[in-house]
């Protein structure tokens, strides 16, 4: 029987008993509390607020567990908040293991499981909206705010501040390794909650760090660390491209022994690596080198993390995502630079950023020391190499032509490094903000909304000039809500003490999960279900409400402009005119005029949608219309470094289509498309959808099961409806290429089956001698022109051409190998004939 911490709740919840019970539980598991942990836990069980600012690896997570234990024993509901959904999910699984599934719930905006549990894991925005909607009456007895330094984030910091302002009855535990001076928060929390606030800080790390500035080339630095017993090494880069390029460059180092490589291969087993970046990653990890960045598919990141946790990877090249709680064991952190591009300019790292990254070095319980190495700039390293080569010869030294930093390069030096090592994290600065959803949440709260908003606007952490700006914005938003009839003023307070109330019902997550979904519903009603493009137009409406996948749109724009330039040159257009017209070329935006006009009308009656940007775009539709699968789409737009971004977007759009579009609006073609999209996502990486399904059906699986490392997706042929669309797309892809007489591309698709470019040309020449064109419109790809004959191990299919005469006697015949399709995760077809059939 599992021994859950919840089973040890003492009958007497006095501070001494709570502390003794918890410390006994930790010692039984081999954890001896550090002095800072003991001090922090004593304060928490005694009822104080706690600000815990201790280095990474000093056991803040264990203090959080102790806080939840104390709240549970005292009958108070506790919330754990984190900045990203992945961390919320990780903590959820961890706390379920500790407290039992019935005691832990999760709310992320996408999904909720066991939402009435006494311990809730959620994003900061979820808790902030609960605080706005329920105020001091919220059922929140304790808040454990992890990564509290996000309080300073310009766009999201409001969510860390609002609970402090609106939950005076809660006990707060604010945690981060890089908080800086917290005297303001200490006084503010005590004033607001009436509880004493303890600050527990410690510069003493359980695993001390050694810092070094390296002037040796990167591969020499890495070799020295690997063979000097300082692995695992995480090499930090500030772009995804640089991380991958570095990993490939370091293949020249023999990172792992033959036995270690065999162990890696055994652990990988039958893991499915897709074409493109998957093949690159396969080569790298089999050599003992991992890559880790946010643009990777989740299954690839998880593979690297699990191989690293098993001690099989000595070297990982990644981005600074490891600074936000990524669970990868690291002994040494190597920073490739002390500068980063922040979206506006290249700048030096802030002290907080540096310490967040450096703090990941050294593993408590494994290492006695952690190491942080900062590489000097390349030109400095080359100069050092030249000086070393010159030795003590003064003449040779005088002849050295010192290399200078490239023009525009933001330089860093050893003194920059020393300053960052010694610097305290910068003080946290307020990032409060006012939005329509904030007012709507507050107005929905029982009581006097004017007083509630006055408190929020005049007693936040902003300075007075900023508060005045927020007040003016709040007034403007309120007037817009009144004018739109979304709220109404009352002459007398209602039974819940409201002087102003909503005239519309708002679902709890209206501001969290695709907030433009109600607009999408209204816009779908403008479409004609009988239109042959209805299913694609519904997709375009939903896509306009999903967050932009910026790298994908950037590549779409790049490709569109490249094609436009080629066409302009072919027309003989002058350079200046080309450049002028090129500014008008953008990524595809279907239904843009209709959507923007509908959005403008909808906004008049629903002013809060102004907080969210309508973003017409075509990614799912583009992929479907081009009849491309995931790997082909990645190749078409050169998105190998952004696979994870594309997959997340496809999954979000699939989820939005399923949840937003009413069943009565789902025509057969639209249902086919939704099934196709879901299966496409599932075959690329099933973890996203599997976790959603488990979370949404808590009766079937209270705790989502994590898939095994080598566990693949379900057979693609299992979902016949989705598989039929995959087959149709594969066949229609060939129709599209045939219509353009793109015989070379057809040969690339089917050369192995004997259908090279010449064979395709020979087969299609008689068709084009008879017809001027080959249709590729909505009718051409419809189910009526695809004939399927099912056999146990294969399908025989015939894709009929949509010829202008309407004879429908030409087409492509093919066989679909079902077993090969399951192995590949997509429809595997073999063309058998391209011909004209008789009557």
């Amino acid at each position: 029987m599992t021994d859950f911490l919840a089973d040890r709740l003492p009958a007497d919840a006095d501070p001494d008993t709570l502390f003794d019970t918890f410390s006994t539980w930790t010692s039984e598991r081999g954890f001896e509390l550090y002095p800072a942990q003991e001090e922090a836990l004593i304060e928490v069980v005694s009822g104080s607020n706690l600000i815990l600012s201790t280095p990474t690896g000093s056991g803040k997570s264990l203090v959080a567990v102790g806080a939840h234990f104390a709240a549970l024993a005292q009958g108070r509901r506790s919330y754990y908040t984190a900045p990203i959904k992945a961390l919320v999910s990780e903590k959820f699984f961890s706390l379920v293991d500790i407290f039992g599934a019935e005691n832990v719930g999760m709310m992320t905006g996408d999904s909720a499981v066991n939402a009435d549990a006494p311990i809730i894991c959620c994003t900061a925005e979820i808790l902030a909206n609960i605080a706005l909607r329920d105020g001091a009456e919220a059922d929140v007895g304790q808040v454990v705010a992890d990564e509290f330094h996000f309080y300073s984030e310009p766009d999201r910091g409001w969510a860390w501040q609002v609970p402090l302002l609106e939950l005076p009855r809660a006990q707060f535990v604010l945690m981060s390794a890089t908080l800086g001076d917290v005297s303001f928060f200490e006084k503010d929390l005590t004033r607001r909650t009436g509880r004493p606030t303890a600050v527990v800080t410690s510069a003493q790390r359980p695993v001390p760090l050694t810092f070094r500035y390296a002037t040796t080339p990167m591969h020499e630095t890495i070799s020295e660390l690997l063979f000097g017993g300082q692995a695992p090494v995480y090499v930090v880069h500030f772009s995804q491209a640089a991380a991958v390029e570095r990993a490939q460059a370091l293949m020249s180092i023999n990172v792992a022994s033959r036995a270690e490589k065999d162990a890696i291969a055994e652990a990988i087993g039958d893991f499915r690596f897709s074409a493109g970046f998957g093949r690159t990653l396969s080569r790298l990890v089999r050599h003992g080198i991992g890559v880790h960045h946010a643009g990777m598919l989740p299954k690839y990141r998880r593979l690297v993390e699990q191989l690293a946790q098993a001690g099989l990877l000595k070297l990982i090249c990644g981005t600074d995502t490891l600074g936000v709680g990524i669970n990868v064991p690291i002994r040494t952190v190597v920073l490739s630079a002390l500068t980063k591009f922040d979206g506006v300019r290249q700048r030096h790292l802030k002290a907080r950023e540096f310490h967040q990254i450096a703090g990941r070095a050294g593993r408590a319980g494994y290492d006695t020391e952690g190491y942080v190495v900062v590489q000097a700039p390349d030109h400095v390293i080359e100069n050092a190499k030249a000086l070393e080569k010159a030795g003590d010869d003064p003449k040779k030294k005088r002849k050295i032509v010192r290399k200078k930093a490239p023009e525009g390069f933001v330089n860093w030096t050893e003194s920059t490094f020393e300053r960052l090592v010694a610097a305290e994290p910068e003080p946290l600065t307020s990032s409060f903000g006012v939005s329509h959803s904030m007012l709507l949440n507050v107005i929905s709260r029982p009581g006097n909304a004017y007083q509630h908003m006055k408190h929020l606007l005049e007693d936040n952490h902003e300075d007075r000039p900023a508060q005045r700006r927020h007040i003016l914005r709040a007034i403007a938003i309120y007037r817009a809500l009144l004018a739109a009839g979304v709220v109404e003023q009352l002459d007398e307070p209602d039974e819940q003490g409201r002087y102003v109330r909503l005239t519309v019902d708002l679902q709890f997550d209206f501001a969290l999960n695709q907030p433009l979904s109600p607009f999408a519903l209204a816009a779908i009603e403008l479409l004609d279900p009988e239109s042959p493009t209805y299913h694609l137009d519904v997709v375009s409406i939903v896509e306009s409400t999903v967050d932009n996948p910026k790298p994908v749109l950037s590549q779409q724009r790049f490709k569109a402009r490249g094609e436009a330039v080629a066409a302009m040159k072919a027309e003989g257009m002058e350079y200046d005119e080309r450049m002028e017209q090129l500014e008008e070329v953008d990524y595809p935006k279907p239904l843009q005029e209709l959507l923007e006009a509908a959005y403008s009308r909808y906004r008049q009656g629903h002013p809060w949608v102004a907080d969210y940007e309508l973003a017409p775009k075509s990614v799912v539709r583009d992929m479907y219309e081009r009849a491309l699968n995931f790997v082909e789409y990645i190749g078409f737009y050169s998105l190998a470094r952004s696979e994870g971004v594309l997959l997340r977007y496809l999954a979000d759009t699939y989820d939005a289509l399923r949840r937003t579009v009413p069943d009565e609006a789902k025509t057969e073609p639209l249902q086919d498309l939704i099934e196709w999209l879901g299966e496409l996502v599932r075959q690329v990486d099933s973890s996203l959808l599997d976790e959603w399904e488990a979370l949404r059906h808590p009766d079937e699986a209270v705790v989502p099961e994590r898939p095994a490392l080598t566990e693949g997706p379900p057979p693609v042929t299992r979902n016949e409806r989705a598989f039929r669309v995959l087959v149709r797309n594969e066949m229609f892809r060939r129709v599209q290429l045939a219509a353009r007489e793109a015989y070379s591309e057809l040969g690339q698709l089917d050369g192995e089956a004997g259908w090279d470019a010449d064979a395709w040309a020979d087969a299609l020449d008689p068709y084009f001698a008879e017809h001027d064109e080959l249709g590729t419109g909505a009718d051409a790809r419809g189910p009526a022109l695809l004939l399927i004959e099912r056999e146990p191990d294969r399908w025989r299919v015939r894709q009929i051409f949509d010829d202008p005469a309407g004879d429908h006697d030409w087409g492509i015949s093919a066989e679909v190998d079902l077993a090969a399709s399951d192995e590949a995760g997509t429809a595997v077809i073999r063309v058998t004939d391209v011909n004209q059939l008789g009557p």
Side-chain angles (χ1 to χ4, degrees):
M1 182 176 174
T2 307
D3 177 22
F4 292 120
L5 183 54
D7 299 331
R8 300 195 179 196
L9 295 176
D12 183 2
D14 69 90
D16 289 340
T17 304
L18 287 174
F19 181 81
D20 290 343
T21 304
F22 185 74
S23 58
T24 300
W25 178 82
T26 59
S27 62
E28 287 176 4
R29 276 149 185 75
F31 300 118
E32 290 304 320
L33 297 175
Y34 301 125
Q37 288 176 311
E38 287 190 344
E39 182 184 352
L41 285 165
I42 289 170
E43 296 291 353
V44 169
V45 298
S46 300
S48 299
N49 297 314
L50 172 68
I51 301 175
L52 183 60
S53 181
T54 58
T56 303
S58 59
K60 288 186 289 295
S61 294
L62 196 57
V63 174
V65 171
H68 291 304
F69 174 71
L72 191 61
Q74 294 162 354
R76 293 182 293 134
R77 197 174 197 208
S78 61
Y79 281 75
Y80 167 90
T81 71
I84 58 177
K85 294 173 186 175
L87 284 183
V88 172
S89 179
E90 287 292 334
K91 183 59 68 172
F92 168 72
F93 284 105
S94 172
L95 292 178
V96 163
D97 289 341
I98 293 170
F99 288 99
E102 69 278 9
N103 289 310
V104 187
M106 175 165 66
M107 300 164 68
T108 64
D110 286 334
S111 300
V113 58
N114 202 16
D116 296 325
I119 301 172
I120 295 293
C121 303
C122 64
T123 54
E125 283 82 357
I126 290 281
L127 179 61
N129 279 280
I130 290 172
L132 289 169
R133 188 164 291 199
D134 296 335
E137 300 303 314
D139 183 15
V140 181
Q142 181 191 82
V143 175
V144 178
D146 204 356
E147 308 288 351
F148 186 72
H149 56 274
F150 271 77
Y151 168 95
S152 283
E153 286 289 305
D155 295 329
R156 301 182 60 202
W158 69 272
W160 275 259
Q161 183 172 161
V162 162
L164 307 183
L165 309 179
E166 293 295 291
L167 301 175
R169 299 176 188 172
Q171 177 190 32
F172 286 91
V173 178
L174 312 181
M175 306 192 305
S176 173
T178 54
L179 287 179
D181 179 10
V182 295
S183 55
F184 166 79
F185 295 101
E186 181 183 5
K187 295 171 186 171
D188 188 70
L189 275 175
T190 297
R191 173 176 72 85
R192 292 177 187 276
T193 66
R195 297 172 183 266
T197 300
V199 178
V200 176
T201 60
S202 172
Q204 185 70 34
R205 285 176 52 96
V207 180
L209 293 182
T210 298
F211 293 88
R212 178 163 71 88
Y213 190 73
T215 56
T216 50
M218 179 66 86
H219 68 277
E220 290 183 19
T221 304
I222 297 299
S223 295
E224 181 185 335
L225 293 169
L226 289 174
F227 303 115
Q230 291 172 253
V233 179
Y234 195 107
V235 188
V236 180
H237 305 79
F238 295 96
S239 78
Q240 296 171 4
V244 177
E245 288 166 8
R246 181 79 67 191
Q248 292 173 310
L250 292 173
M251 286 279 284
S252 59
I253 300 175
N254 191 17
V255 174
S257 65
R258 181 70 265 163
E260 289 167 335
K261 289 177 182 177
D262 290 343
I264 291 170
E266 184 178 350
I268 291 173
D270 296 327
F271 184 90
R272 184 192 287 173
F273 291 96
S274 305
F277 179 71
R279 290 175 182 165
T280 300
L281 182 65
S282 178
R283 287 195 305 273
L284 289 168
V285 295
R286 292 176 196 280
H287 192 75
I289 300 174
V291 176
H292 196 287
H293 62 70
M296 294 166 59
L297 295 178
K299 67 176 182 180
Y300 291 158
R301 290 202 305 273
R302 194 170 62 249
L303 172 69
V304 170
E305 289 169 15
Q306 293 185 9
L307 290 175
Q309 287 159 4
L312 296 174
L313 295 182
K314 295 181 181 178
L315 179 61
I316 302 172
C317 295
T319 57
D320 56 337
T321 52
L322 87 160
V324 190
I326 299 302
N327 186 20
V328 175
I330 301 161
R331 180 170 295 170
T332 302
V333 168
V334 177
L335 284 91
S336 60
L338 289 178
T339 60
K340 68 180 292 185
F341 183 71
D342 62 6
V344 178
R345 60 188 176 87
Q346 196 78 15
R347 60 164 174 80
H348 287 120
L349 296 182
K350 296 176 181 176
R352 171 168 290 105
E353 293 167 331
F354 175 79
H355 287 293
Q356 277 289 128
I357 297 167
R360 294 289 162 187
R363 304 163 298 173
Y366 294 90
D367 301 323
T368 56
E369 193 171 5
Y371 305 90
V372 179
V373 180
V374 173
Q375 284 289 114
D378 289 342
H379 66 280
V380 173
I381 292 172
E382 289 185 42
N383 290 337
K385 197 84 172 171
L387 283 170
E388 183 185 355
K389 191 173 181 181
D392 296 328
D393 188 331
K395 291 182 180 178
K396 289 182 179 179
K397 285 184 176 180
R398 280 196 297 271
K399 288 181 180 178
I400 292 174
V401 178
R402 292 181 179 271
K403 290 194 176 286
K404 296 181 180 178
E407 190 172 343
F409 181 77
V410 177
N411 196 26
W412 69 91
T413 64
E414 191 163 5
S415 63
T416 313
F417 160 71
E418 291 169 348
R419 176 182 59 77
L420 285 171
V421 171
E424 288 292 318
E426 298 83 3
L428 296 175
T429 55
S430 172
S431 294
F432 187 79
V434 177
S435 65
H436 289 79
S437 60
M438 175 179 283
L439 261 73
L440 289 167
N441 271 318
V442 171
I443 290 169
S444 69
R445 186 196 308 179
N448 190 328
Y450 301 113
Q451 293 300 319
H452 297 328
M453 279 307 301
K454 182 179 179 183
H455 164 71
L456 258 178
L457 294 168
E458 295 186 350
D459 194 21
N460 54 49
H461 297 165
E462 303 276 280
D463 60 24
R464 191 58 189 159
Q467 287 180 349
R468 290 194 190 97
R469 290 195 298 273
H470 296 316
I471 290 168
L472 291 174
R473 174 160 169 73
I475 291 170
I477 291 173
Y478 178 66
R479 285 174 176 166
L481 293 172
L482 269 178
V486 177
V487 300
E488 61 180 0
Q489 295 179 171
L490 305 175
D491 295 330
E492 298 289 334
D494 66 11
E495 63 278 5
Q496 291 189 304
R498 296 188 182 97
Y499 285 87
V500 59
R501 68 184 176 196
L502 299 175
T503 61
V504 295
D505 291 328
L506 298 174
Q507 71 272 27
F508 173 75
D509 60 353
F510 83 100
L512 298 170
N513 182 40
Q514 305 305 352
L516 289 179
S517 292
F519 161 74
L521 275 174
I524 288 170
E525 293 180 3
L526 302 175
L527 302 178
D528 176 9
E530 300 301 318
S531 166
T533 63
Y534 170 79
H535 59 304
L536 295 173
D537 293 341
V538 170
V539 170
S540 291
I541 288 173
V542 171
E543 283 200 78
S544 73
T545 68
V546 180
D547 287 343
N548 282 348
K550 292 179 182 177
V552 180
L553 302 185
S554 176
Q555 286 300 102
Q556 283 185 333
R557 182 189 297 113
F558 179 79
K559 192 170 187 70
R561 289 183 173 181
E563 292 171 352
V565 165
M568 291 176 200
K569 284 183 176 179
E571 292 174 10
M573 192 179 293
E574 294 295 327
Y575 175 81
D576 289 342
E577 189 179 354
R578 290 203 307 265
M579 292 302 99
E580 184 178 337
Q581 291 201 16
L582 206 57
E583 287 301 311
E584 303 299 316
V585 178
D586 205 351
Y587 54 82
K589 299 177 181 178
L591 305 187
Q592 183 176 12
E593 290 185 11
L594 180 148
L595 284 167
E596 289 178 350
Y599 177 74
S600 178
R601 290 196 302 273
Y602 187 83
R603 180 175 165 179
Q604 292 171 13
H606 307 78
W608 64 84
V609 302
D611 291 342
Y612 311 100
E613 182 183 0
L614 186 73
K617 53 188 168 291
S618 177
V619 177
V620 172
R621 180 172 183 160
D622 184 45
M623 183 182 287
Y624 188 80
E625 288 186 315
R626 293 182 186 277
L628 298 175
N629 61 35
F630 187 84
V631 171
E632 290 167 341
Y633 199 77
I634 291 288
F636 186 76
Y637 284 113
S638 303
L639 292 166
R641 295 195 183 105
S642 303
E643 288 180 332
V645 175
L646 175 61
L647 182 74
R648 171 63 70 177
Y649 176 83
L650 298 178
D652 286 347
T653 306
Y654 170 64
D655 195 48
L657 282 165
R658 285 197 305 169
R659 298 173 70 185
T660 301
V661 183
D663 287 342
E664 60 270 21
K666 291 177 179 173
T667 60
E668 281 290 312
L670 178 56
Q671 191 63 56
D672 282 351
L673 191 152
I674 294 171
E675 288 290 326
W676 160 79
L677 181 57
E679 195 59 36
L680 183 147
V681 172
R682 188 170 284 110
Q683 291 299 322
V684 173
D685 188 337
S686 63
S687 61
L688 292 174
L689 301 189
D690 290 346
E691 186 167 300
W692 282 351
E693 289 306 315
L695 291 176
R696 287 182 188 145
H697 298 91
D699 295 336
E700 298 170 20
V702 173
V703 184
E705 292 291 334
R706 288 299 174 92
L709 182 65
T710 57
E711 187 177 318
V716 71
T717 57
R718 180 194 63 169
N719 183 341
E720 183 172 314
R721 184 171 200 161
F723 185 64
R724 191 172 65 240
V725 179
L726 291 173
V727 170
R728 190 190 310 159
N729 283 354
E730 287 292 335
M731 297 300 289
F732 192 68
R733 171 94 170 119
R734 287 155 175 83
V735 172
Q736 290 176 315
L737 294 173
R740 293 193 284 112
E741 299 181 53
Y743 301 133
S744 176
E745 292 181 55
L746 284 164
Q748 291 173 13
L749 279 177
D750 299 306
E752 290 184 11
W755 285 84
D756 60 13
D758 290 339
W760 274 101
D762 291 342
L764 288 167
D765 279 348
Y767 173 87
F768 285 110
E770 185 177 342
H771 302 289
D772 292 334
E773 61 182 23
L774 173 54
T776 58
D779 291 336
R781 74 177 300 154
L785 295 187
L786 179 68
L787 306 180
I788 300 176
E789 180 185 333
R790 294 166 176 79
E791 296 181 6
D793 61 341
R794 71 190 67 246
W795 287 2
R796 299 185 189 278
V797 297
R798 172 115 177 136
Q799 175 67 57
I800 300 169
F801 289 170
D802 184 24
D803 61 273
D807 294 333
H808 293 166
D809 52 352
W810 275 86
I812 304 171
S813 298
E815 290 185 349
V816 184
D817 187 325
L818 302 183
S821 297
D822 284 336
E823 186 175 341
T826 190
V828 175
I829 75 166
R830 183 176 66 84
V831 173
T832 56
D833 211 344
V834 180
N835 60 359
Q836 182 181 28
L837 297 180

